[in-house]
Amino acid sequence: MIDEVAARAVGITKTHGRGAGAVTALDRVSVEFARARYTAIMGPSGSGKSTLLHCVAGLDSVDEGAVHLAGVDLTRLGERQLTRLRRDRVGFIFQSFNLLPTMSAVDNIRLPLALAGRRPDRVWIDRLVDAVGLRDRLGHKPAELSGGQQQRVAAARALAGRPAIVFADEPTGNLDSVARGELLGFLRRCVDELGQTIVMVTHDPVAAAYADRALFLADGRIVDTLDGPTAERVLDRMKSLSEVS
Amino acid sequence: MLRYTLSSVVAHKGRLLLTAVAIVLGVSLVSGTFVLIDTWRAAADAAAHRHPRGVDVVVGATPDAAPTTDGEPVSIPFRGPVPAALIDRLARVDGVVSATGVVLGRAQVLGRDGHPVAGREPIARTVDPSFAASLRTGRVPAGPAEVVIDPATAATLRIRVGDRIRVVSSGGAPETVTVVGLLYPPEQAGAAFVGVHPSAARDLLPRPDLVSFVEVRAAPGITQRELRDRVAATLDGQYAVSTGADLDAELVRAAEPPPLVARIFLIASLVALFIGTFLIRNTYTIVLASRARELALLRCVGASRGQLRRAVLLEAAIVGAVASLGGLALGVAVGWGVASLLKTGGAVAVDVTGHTPQVLPRTVAVTLAVGILTALVSAWSPVRRATRVHPVAALHGDVFALDRPVGRLRAVLGGLFLFGGTGLVLAGGLADPAVDAMVGAGAALSGLGVLVLGPVLAPPIARLVGAAVRRGRGVAGRLAADNAVRNPRRAAATTLPLVIGLALIGFLTTLAAGSRASTVGGFDQTLRADFRMQAFNRDVAMSPDVPRRLAAVPEVAAVASFQVADAELTTGPGPDGAAGGGSVVDLAGVDPTRLAAVLALPVTDGALADLADGGIALRRGIAAERGATVGSTVRLRTGAGGATQTFAVRAIYDTSDLGGYAVAHLPVFDSLITPAAYERLVGDPAVATVYASVRDGVTPAAARAAIARALADHPTVEITGRDELRRRAAAELDPALRVYYALFGLMILIALFGIINTLALSALERIRELGLLRVLGMQRRQVRAMLRWEAAIVAATGTAVGLALGALLGWAATRAFDLSATEVPVGLLAGSAVAAVVASMLAAGPPARRAAGVDVLHALASE
Ligand SMILES: Nc1ncnc2c1ncn2[C@@H]1O[C@H](COP(=O)(O)OP(=O)(O)OP(=O)(O)O)[C@@H](O)[C@H]1O
Ligand SMILES: [Mg+2]
């Protein structure tokens, strides 16, 4: 099935806990992430951004609704198949602790391929390494790299297997503005030049401005979308959102 | 702070449980040792008091009337006969109610093939009605046609009360009697016992004027001591007099655990405890690292370093106390297990397993103290380092390494110890003859070297061992190999227990293999005969008719009979051997031409063929002791007041290379003379033992049947085949070995548990890493494989080092003990290595499954 949509959620609901302490993190959310597009997910703390990301990425199950990822209905997949799907079709970048401390940068980049027993595409890996500007750091262990370098290694790792979609949860949360710019610029180029699909959770209007589209979540619902976001417009929306709630 | 301690004990249940299990295992061998020894004592005590028959005083021969074995005085009942007239004399002593003569002798139950079953010492005794209450079942014999036997004999021969059996007493013809009861042997635990009616006493001791000893009972109100003194006063020191209680105490001592055994067990358990402290320390280091953040937070809110230290140490003490109680319970099981091993090994005269396990207050106190102390000592340095973490630093960092880096001094010192030590062992072991002091010092030094060098040595060896896993097992293997060497100190502490346990096993296996090889080698080289014939009762020789009949058997090729007596050998100038008396030697009379057909004695000087009448052949040790050489003369005298005769030394043979265990099962004596000379000197034609070799082409079974037929008139004769003798010689060490293997096996178990414990805690510590791997697409099965291989690499490292060290030391010990053959049991060692690695992989299963089953998001979110 050739699809212009890389991932799609249809009316998904996710409740954490049960009884009196239950929290509805996602409330009948429907959303589509188009191929070769860069989407930012924004919203106040606790609004359900991470939960949405986890559900769409197949890391977490949904209570209601359906999730399609790379043309597959996730709700029908077992644990092994989900793991294989993640390994082969999805890339991840987290805020921190992205890398295995015992492995060198290049080994970390090749890790998903190694897990799959796939032969790495040398040309592609080379191109990624050059794009993140880490050629002279490949043999170093994560502890020997700066925070920004670590995140760039993580980004290269996320893209090493040419995934159908890359999910990033606050990837720039721990970075200064220079490192942030380098990482976001790299992700942007991946979308423009390599046709990658990226979904990124962020609190940062500047980061959101790198995206093609921004979604706004509040109390587990998508309350707004913004195409071609700029930092000022994003900031405006966030202000109005916090006034509403 | 006490509240913090208590709440944290509750909160960290899981991790503390792992710590506790390490302590439980560590102390269980200590408490097990105490339980075993105490239960053994209690069982010995119970065995001695199994017959409360009201015997107050026992009168028998004086000690100098009996030969001593190994310097131990022989117990009164076994000292040899006293006049029966003594009974009446004793009955007349004031305060004596009754005096009963007891006759002790040898008798054996015949098996279905008409021959005695060899193995246990045969003892027979008159059994009077005072035994009625002591019987296991049945009743006492009411006439000469009834007997009681011991439960063990009944079990092996499947005899029940009421069965008719054939019994033979020494020299006598077999009689058919009825078993009317079962009775444990009264004077010697573990003997093969036959109890006869007093009217049958003459079958045991054919002289009506003699009894073995006299049992005396006191009138009411007279104590045993009073009666003993009164009796002794009337006897003028002519006889030995003892109270019943003293005799019982003697019996208890004989059945008690020998002090050496108790000491070996205690040493083994201390080694296990030592191993345990490594594990416990490891556990604390990991557990406290994972709590460093929490401790730092407490520091931030104002807890002082000292307060924290005391709180965590108190926590350790609580865990230690609780775990000790667990160790006590496990110890009871351990003690019981070792006891049953001792029982199957036949190493213990009393049935320890039949007794309630003895847990004395002393055992509880020692176990508690040891457990708490171990916990505190093991926790001490990790606690100090954990509480020294800077408050703010702890709040930031990701994972804490409480393990200190490995110092250079350690590497240099450890290297010196290890290489110097192995060098010494090799040099001492290769020298001819081996230099014991060098081997001993080298062994100690290399052991110390392994301890010190562990953290330096473990990672490279583990890397080497892990290389195969890394190459062959994909990412999982690769990560396993990396993780195994991630923390040198931890890797060393985890492998060390395995190294120690396997080094001990390697040492023992190699030593045992060397001992077995030299025994079997000595046996095979020396014995040419196929059968040995011997009276079941070693005290009574066989009729000279036995070798005559054997010689007439067509299947038999050659027969050599040995007449044996003790003799005093002197070389001094005067006829009375003025210079310091002589050596007591065992003297055999044997025809030298026939001897060669059954035994190949390694003659170093002269020739056995020259042993004409008046010549003598000497064992080299004796010859050296007396300064005798071929051509010199020696004098022999047998018995007290016997005549002294002079012999010319014609041959000297050397049996020192045969190994003690082989010699004990071969007809090897201190001195040999011709039968004619023997008869002139000793004046007794009786034969002690006969060896026969069989014609070529005759099967052992056919030969045995022919011999048994030929000796049908000699039912007291045991016929033992060459294979059986060989097996007995080779198995001499087995009961002791089995116990050692069990003890060391327990150590290995502790070591394996240590690996698993560390693995589980490391997995907990690395949970975020595991989460990340799972997010990136590592399948659960790959996670499991990764942790299993990590365990395997650690185990293989410890195994390789331990067995190599153990084999080296074992080899050196066989050299130092002058065993004739050294043999490194490669197959057995490789087998234990594989077993240890496989066991560790299996044991890694549960923690690996847990780690693989962890929720991905939960793992990522955890600190
Ligand atoms: N494992 C969980 N158990 C219970 N409640 C949870 C769990 N995970 C998330 N929640 C709740 O669900 C809601 C959404 O959480 P989520 O992590 O998706 O928010 P978020 O938008 O990512 O917030 P932040 O910007 O702070 O990361 C929150 O109210 C949170 O408390
Ligand atoms: Mg979040």
Side-chain angles (χ1 to χ4, degrees), chain A residues 16-17 23-25 43-52 169-170 201 203 217:
Chain A
H16 290 293
V23 179
T24 304
S45 189
S47 56
K49 304 183 294 293
S50 295
T51 306
L52 177 61
D169 195 347
E170 301 185 41
V201 168
H203 282 286
L217 271 176

PDB file of all heavy atoms in Angstrom, chain A residues 16-17 23-25 43-52 169-170 201 203 217, ligand 1:
ATOM      1  N   HIS A  16      -4.105   6.350  32.016  1.00  0.00           N
ATOM      2  CA  HIS A  16      -3.118   5.786  32.938  1.00  0.00           C
ATOM      3  C   HIS A  16      -3.773   5.530  34.273  1.00  0.00           C
ATOM      4  O   HIS A  16      -4.529   6.375  34.761  1.00  0.00           O
ATOM      5  CB  HIS A  16      -1.953   6.754  33.150  1.00  0.00           C
ATOM      6  CG  HIS A  16      -1.076   6.904  31.938  1.00  0.00           C
ATOM      7  ND1 HIS A  16      -0.307   5.892  31.447  1.00  0.00           N
ATOM      8  CD2 HIS A  16      -0.862   7.967  31.124  1.00  0.00           C
ATOM      9  CE1 HIS A  16       0.369   6.314  30.389  1.00  0.00           C
ATOM     10  NE2 HIS A  16       0.028   7.576  30.167  1.00  0.00           N
ATOM     11  N   GLY A  17      -3.505   4.395  34.882  1.00  0.00           N
ATOM     12  CA  GLY A  17      -4.082   4.080  36.180  1.00  0.00           C
ATOM     13  C   GLY A  17      -5.565   3.770  36.042  1.00  0.00           C
ATOM     14  O   GLY A  17      -6.117   3.771  34.939  1.00  0.00           O
ATOM     15  N   VAL A  23      -5.901   8.833  35.069  1.00  0.00           N
ATOM     16  CA  VAL A  23      -5.629  10.053  34.315  1.00  0.00           C
ATOM     17  C   VAL A  23      -5.830   9.749  32.838  1.00  0.00           C
ATOM     18  O   VAL A  23      -5.207   8.836  32.305  1.00  0.00           O
ATOM     19  CB  VAL A  23      -4.183  10.530  34.546  1.00  0.00           C
ATOM     20  CG1 VAL A  23      -3.907  11.794  33.727  1.00  0.00           C
ATOM     21  CG2 VAL A  23      -3.914  10.766  36.009  1.00  0.00           C
ATOM     22  N   THR A  24      -6.684  10.484  32.189  1.00  0.00           N
ATOM     23  CA  THR A  24      -6.854  10.295  30.750  1.00  0.00           C
ATOM     24  C   THR A  24      -5.808  11.141  30.047  1.00  0.00           C
ATOM     25  O   THR A  24      -5.925  12.358  29.951  1.00  0.00           O
ATOM     26  CB  THR A  24      -8.266  10.708  30.297  1.00  0.00           C
ATOM     27  OG1 THR A  24      -9.204   9.962  31.068  1.00  0.00           O
ATOM     28  CG2 THR A  24      -8.469  10.423  28.826  1.00  0.00           C
ATOM     29  N   ALA A  25      -4.745  10.474  29.558  1.00  0.00           N
ATOM     30  CA  ALA A  25      -3.633  11.190  28.939  1.00  0.00           C
ATOM     31  C   ALA A  25      -3.966  11.562  27.504  1.00  0.00           C
ATOM     32  O   ALA A  25      -3.534  12.601  27.002  1.00  0.00           O
ATOM     33  CB  ALA A  25      -2.372  10.348  28.997  1.00  0.00           C
ATOM     34  N   GLY A  43       2.560  21.705  23.607  1.00  0.00           N
ATOM     35  CA  GLY A  43       1.496  21.706  24.607  1.00  0.00           C
ATOM     36  C   GLY A  43       2.089  21.789  25.990  1.00  0.00           C
ATOM     37  O   GLY A  43       3.264  21.522  26.184  1.00  0.00           O
ATOM     38  N   PRO A  44       1.254  22.163  26.953  1.00  0.00           N
ATOM     39  CA  PRO A  44       1.747  22.301  28.318  1.00  0.00           C
ATOM     40  C   PRO A  44       2.213  20.958  28.886  1.00  0.00           C
ATOM     41  O   PRO A  44       1.854  19.903  28.373  1.00  0.00           O
ATOM     42  CB  PRO A  44       0.537  22.813  29.093  1.00  0.00           C
ATOM     43  CG  PRO A  44      -0.561  23.000  28.119  1.00  0.00           C
ATOM     44  CD  PRO A  44      -0.154  22.478  26.806  1.00  0.00           C
ATOM     45  N   SER A  45       2.972  21.025  29.948  1.00  0.00           N
ATOM     46  CA  SER A  45       3.439  19.812  30.627  1.00  0.00           C
ATOM     47  C   SER A  45       2.250  18.997  31.086  1.00  0.00           C
ATOM     48  O   SER A  45       1.292  19.539  31.636  1.00  0.00           O
ATOM     49  CB  SER A  45       4.309  20.225  31.810  1.00  0.00           C
ATOM     50  OG  SER A  45       4.924  19.098  32.353  1.00  0.00           O
ATOM     51  N   GLY A  46       2.313  17.711  30.838  1.00  0.00           N
ATOM     52  CA  GLY A  46       1.226  16.835  31.271  1.00  0.00           C
ATOM     53  C   GLY A  46       0.076  16.782  30.298  1.00  0.00           C
ATOM     54  O   GLY A  46      -0.950  16.163  30.573  1.00  0.00           O
ATOM     55  N   SER A  47       0.191  17.420  29.125  1.00  0.00           N
ATOM     56  CA  SER A  47      -0.925  17.465  28.188  1.00  0.00           C
ATOM     57  C   SER A  47      -1.052  16.176  27.387  1.00  0.00           C
ATOM     58  O   SER A  47      -2.042  15.972  26.686  1.00  0.00           O
ATOM     59  CB  SER A  47      -0.751  18.662  27.239  1.00  0.00           C
ATOM     60  OG  SER A  47       0.499  18.573  26.580  1.00  0.00           O
ATOM     61  N   GLY A  48      -0.040  15.309  27.419  1.00  0.00           N
ATOM     62  CA  GLY A  48      -0.172  14.015  26.728  1.00  0.00           C
ATOM     63  C   GLY A  48       0.739  13.869  25.528  1.00  0.00           C
ATOM     64  O   GLY A  48       0.578  12.945  24.738  1.00  0.00           O
ATOM     65  N   LYS A  49       1.715  14.761  25.362  1.00  0.00           N
ATOM     66  CA  LYS A  49       2.591  14.732  24.180  1.00  0.00           C
ATOM     67  C   LYS A  49       3.385  13.418  24.117  1.00  0.00           C
ATOM     68  O   LYS A  49       3.378  12.735  23.093  1.00  0.00           O
ATOM     69  CB  LYS A  49       3.576  15.921  24.228  1.00  0.00           C
ATOM     70  CG  LYS A  49       2.916  17.278  24.348  1.00  0.00           C
ATOM     71  CD  LYS A  49       3.921  18.396  24.322  1.00  0.00           C
ATOM     72  CE  LYS A  49       4.861  18.432  25.525  1.00  0.00           C
ATOM     73  NZ  LYS A  49       4.199  18.746  26.803  1.00  0.00           N
ATOM     74  N   SER A  50       4.077  13.130  25.220  1.00  0.00           N
ATOM     75  CA  SER A  50       4.890  11.904  25.222  1.00  0.00           C
ATOM     76  C   SER A  50       4.021  10.676  25.031  1.00  0.00           C
ATOM     77  O   SER A  50       4.369   9.741  24.312  1.00  0.00           O
ATOM     78  CB  SER A  50       5.663  11.788  26.528  1.00  0.00           C
ATOM     79  OG  SER A  50       6.593  12.834  26.639  1.00  0.00           O
ATOM     80  N   THR A  51       2.862  10.696  25.684  1.00  0.00           N
ATOM     81  CA  THR A  51       1.965   9.548  25.563  1.00  0.00           C
ATOM     82  C   THR A  51       1.557   9.343  24.110  1.00  0.00           C
ATOM     83  O   THR A  51       1.545   8.214  23.608  1.00  0.00           O
ATOM     84  CB  THR A  51       0.731   9.762  26.452  1.00  0.00           C
ATOM     85  OG1 THR A  51       1.172  10.046  27.784  1.00  0.00           O
ATOM     86  CG2 THR A  51      -0.144   8.530  26.470  1.00  0.00           C
ATOM     87  N   LEU A  52       1.242  10.424  23.421  1.00  0.00           N
ATOM     88  CA  LEU A  52       0.852  10.319  22.016  1.00  0.00           C
ATOM     89  C   LEU A  52       1.990   9.704  21.196  1.00  0.00           C
ATOM     90  O   LEU A  52       1.787   8.782  20.396  1.00  0.00           O
ATOM     91  CB  LEU A  52       0.492  11.708  21.473  1.00  0.00           C
ATOM     92  CG  LEU A  52       0.139  11.755  19.975  1.00  0.00           C
ATOM     93  CD1 LEU A  52      -1.080  10.885  19.682  1.00  0.00           C
ATOM     94  CD2 LEU A  52      -0.104  13.184  19.503  1.00  0.00           C
ATOM     95  N   ASP A 169      11.523  12.915  21.233  1.00  0.00           N
ATOM     96  CA  ASP A 169      10.835  13.487  22.399  1.00  0.00           C
ATOM     97  C   ASP A 169      11.778  14.477  23.071  1.00  0.00           C
ATOM     98  O   ASP A 169      12.724  14.078  23.726  1.00  0.00           O
ATOM     99  CB  ASP A 169      10.439  12.365  23.359  1.00  0.00           C
ATOM    100  CG  ASP A 169       9.402  12.845  24.385  1.00  0.00           C
ATOM    101  OD1 ASP A 169       9.205  14.080  24.493  1.00  0.00           O
ATOM    102  OD2 ASP A 169       8.815  11.981  25.074  1.00  0.00           O
ATOM    103  N   GLU A 170      11.495  15.757  22.871  1.00  0.00           N
ATOM    104  CA  GLU A 170      12.323  16.832  23.420  1.00  0.00           C
ATOM    105  C   GLU A 170      13.809  16.598  23.176  1.00  0.00           C
ATOM    106  O   GLU A 170      14.604  16.574  24.118  1.00  0.00           O
ATOM    107  CB  GLU A 170      12.047  17.001  24.919  1.00  0.00           C
ATOM    108  CG  GLU A 170      10.595  17.311  25.203  1.00  0.00           C
ATOM    109  CD  GLU A 170      10.350  17.599  26.678  1.00  0.00           C
ATOM    110  OE1 GLU A 170      11.188  18.284  27.275  1.00  0.00           O
ATOM    111  OE2 GLU A 170       9.325  17.142  27.209  1.00  0.00           O
ATOM    112  N   VAL A 201       8.387  16.067  19.657  1.00  0.00           N
ATOM    113  CA  VAL A 201       7.753  16.747  20.781  1.00  0.00           C
ATOM    114  C   VAL A 201       8.720  17.811  21.269  1.00  0.00           C
ATOM    115  O   VAL A 201       9.921  17.559  21.395  1.00  0.00           O
ATOM    116  CB  VAL A 201       7.447  15.752  21.916  1.00  0.00           C
ATOM    117  CG1 VAL A 201       7.055  16.500  23.181  1.00  0.00           C
ATOM    118  CG2 VAL A 201       6.356  14.778  21.502  1.00  0.00           C
ATOM    119  N   HIS A 203       8.998  21.753  23.750  1.00  0.00           N
ATOM    120  CA  HIS A 203       8.424  22.873  24.486  1.00  0.00           C
ATOM    121  C   HIS A 203       8.883  24.185  23.894  1.00  0.00           C
ATOM    122  O   HIS A 203       8.458  25.249  24.337  1.00  0.00           O
ATOM    123  CB  HIS A 203       8.914  22.849  25.942  1.00  0.00           C
ATOM    124  CG  HIS A 203       8.213  21.860  26.781  1.00  0.00           C
ATOM    125  ND1 HIS A 203       6.926  22.034  27.216  1.00  0.00           N
ATOM    126  CD2 HIS A 203       8.605  20.669  27.276  1.00  0.00           C
ATOM    127  CE1 HIS A 203       6.558  21.012  27.945  1.00  0.00           C
ATOM    128  NE2 HIS A 203       7.571  20.148  27.996  1.00  0.00           N
ATOM    129  N   LEU A 217      -1.439  20.243  21.838  1.00  0.00           N
ATOM    130  CA  LEU A 217      -2.210  19.343  22.699  1.00  0.00           C
ATOM    131  C   LEU A 217      -2.531  20.047  24.010  1.00  0.00           C
ATOM    132  O   LEU A 217      -1.718  20.801  24.524  1.00  0.00           O
ATOM    133  CB  LEU A 217      -1.382  18.103  23.042  1.00  0.00           C
ATOM    134  CG  LEU A 217      -1.430  16.878  22.142  1.00  0.00           C
ATOM    135  CD1 LEU A 217      -0.457  15.840  22.649  1.00  0.00           C
ATOM    136  CD2 LEU A 217      -2.830  16.296  22.079  1.00  0.00           C
TER     137      LEU A 217
HETATM  138  N1  LIG C   1       2.864   5.754  33.683  1.00  0.00           N
HETATM  139  C1  LIG C   1       1.952   6.675  34.031  1.00  0.00           C
HETATM  140  N2  LIG C   1       1.131   6.444  35.075  1.00  0.00           N
HETATM  141  C2  LIG C   1       0.196   7.335  35.429  1.00  0.00           C
HETATM  142  N3  LIG C   1       0.035   8.497  34.823  1.00  0.00           N
HETATM  143  C3  LIG C   1       0.822   8.820  33.780  1.00  0.00           C
HETATM  144  C4  LIG C   1       1.836   7.921  33.334  1.00  0.00           C
HETATM  145  N4  LIG C   1       2.466   8.469  32.281  1.00  0.00           N
HETATM  146  C5  LIG C   1       1.872   9.656  32.080  1.00  0.00           C
HETATM  147  N5  LIG C   1       0.899   9.857  32.988  1.00  0.00           N
HETATM  148  C6  LIG C   1       0.034  10.987  33.064  1.00  0.00           C
HETATM  149  O1  LIG C   1      -0.539  11.203  31.796  1.00  0.00           O
HETATM  150  C7  LIG C   1      -0.566  12.578  31.495  1.00  0.00           C
HETATM  151  C8  LIG C   1       0.185  12.808  30.218  1.00  0.00           C
HETATM  152  O2  LIG C   1       1.545  12.526  30.408  1.00  0.00           O
HETATM  153  P1  LIG C   1       2.652  12.779  29.329  1.00  0.00           P
HETATM  154  O3  LIG C   1       3.915  12.225  29.809  1.00  0.00           O
HETATM  155  O4  LIG C   1       2.146  12.283  28.012  1.00  0.00           O
HETATM  156  O5  LIG C   1       2.702  14.379  29.294  1.00  0.00           O
HETATM  157  P2  LIG C   1       3.676  15.312  28.449  1.00  0.00           P
HETATM  158  O6  LIG C   1       2.794  16.164  27.653  1.00  0.00           O
HETATM  159  O7  LIG C   1       4.694  14.526  27.768  1.00  0.00           O
HETATM  160  O8  LIG C   1       4.318  16.202  29.595  1.00  0.00           O
HETATM  161  P3  LIG C   1       5.803  16.775  29.669  1.00  0.00           P
HETATM  162  O9  LIG C   1       5.799  17.975  28.766  1.00  0.00           O
HETATM  163  O10 LIG C   1       5.935  17.201  31.082  1.00  0.00           O
HETATM  164  O11 LIG C   1       6.711  15.732  29.259  1.00  0.00           O
HETATM  165  C9  LIG C   1       0.044  13.303  32.670  1.00  0.00           C
HETATM  166  O12 LIG C   1      -1.017  13.806  33.467  1.00  0.00           O
HETATM  167  C10 LIG C   1       0.797  12.235  33.411  1.00  0.00           C
HETATM  168  O13 LIG C   1       0.721  12.497  34.794  1.00  0.00           O
END
